[in-house]
Amino acid sequence: MMAAAEEAERLRGGLRSGLRVLREEHRGWRETLASCLPLLRALGNVARQAEAARRVSFGETPLRAFARLPERLRLKQRAAMEALLAKLRREKLPALREARDAVGASLAPLLVLGGLGQDPDPQPRRAPSPAWADLVAGLQDAEALFHAVYLEARLLLLSLSYRDVAGVQAGPQAWERIMQRGQRGDRVEETLLKAAFFLEDA
């Protein structure tokens, strides 16, 4: 009886910890996804300016006296695009990865405690209750969502280049589609709501 009570308390403690991590990371996850969009829009604007500059025949304008102007303008636009890409790749992308990893790290011990994961020293356990299994499934869904969206975001951000102005201009629209998938919080919110009642009654 004591062993069963201790196991139940460990499960509740692990679940509380995992859900607290999910709540905190989900909020930051949504904020990070949203904060990338203005940067991508700024990047797209610079790309449009670069494309427009390429179409200008400076030799046929009053600016023809400034022979180095086209090259200096091109270098300035390239530097602006690379700075924005660096911010997205070095600040925003790691934040998404950290959120994904944090949720995954909080889920792993829950699977072991509940007898649902890979335990190096397996012990016979009673089957988790339906409420427990449902909450763990919700955490697994959240981890899968974070993982899939992170990979999609990483692929997009690493594919953008100042050499491909058309691709950069399409970046904001592509990111909005990623946001629509990444900000689907219905399942996460449902899990957190169920958890509040489950832990209160436990």
Side-chain angles (χ1 to χ4, degrees), residues 110-141:
L110 289 177
L111 297 179
V112 174
L113 285 171
L116 302 173
Q118 297 297 323
D119 191 341
D121 184 23
Q123 299 292 331
R125 290 186 174 89
R126 59 182 176 81
S129 69
W132 161 264
D134 188 48
L135 289 171
V136 172
L139 287 170
Q140 288 177 303
D141 287 347

Side-chain angles (χ1 to χ4, degrees), residues 38-91:
L39 296 174
L40 284 161
R41 285 174 175 164
L43 189 62
N45 288 336
V46 178
R48 277 187 287 274
Q49 294 170 14
E51 185 177 36
R54 291 177 186 176
R55 296 174 179 173
V56 175
S57 298
F58 286 92
E60 300 175 1
T61 72
L63 297 174
R64 59 181 175 274
F66 303 94
R68 297 184 57 191
L69 179 60
E71 179 64 13
R72 293 177 64 180
L73 183 59
R74 185 185 67 80
L75 292 175
K76 183 177 180 180
Q77 290 167 337
R78 173 179 172 176
M81 293 173 69
E82 289 184 333
L84 288 166
L85 284 171
K87 186 174 182 66
L88 286 163
R89 293 168 178 169
R90 297 175 186 174
E91 296 181 18

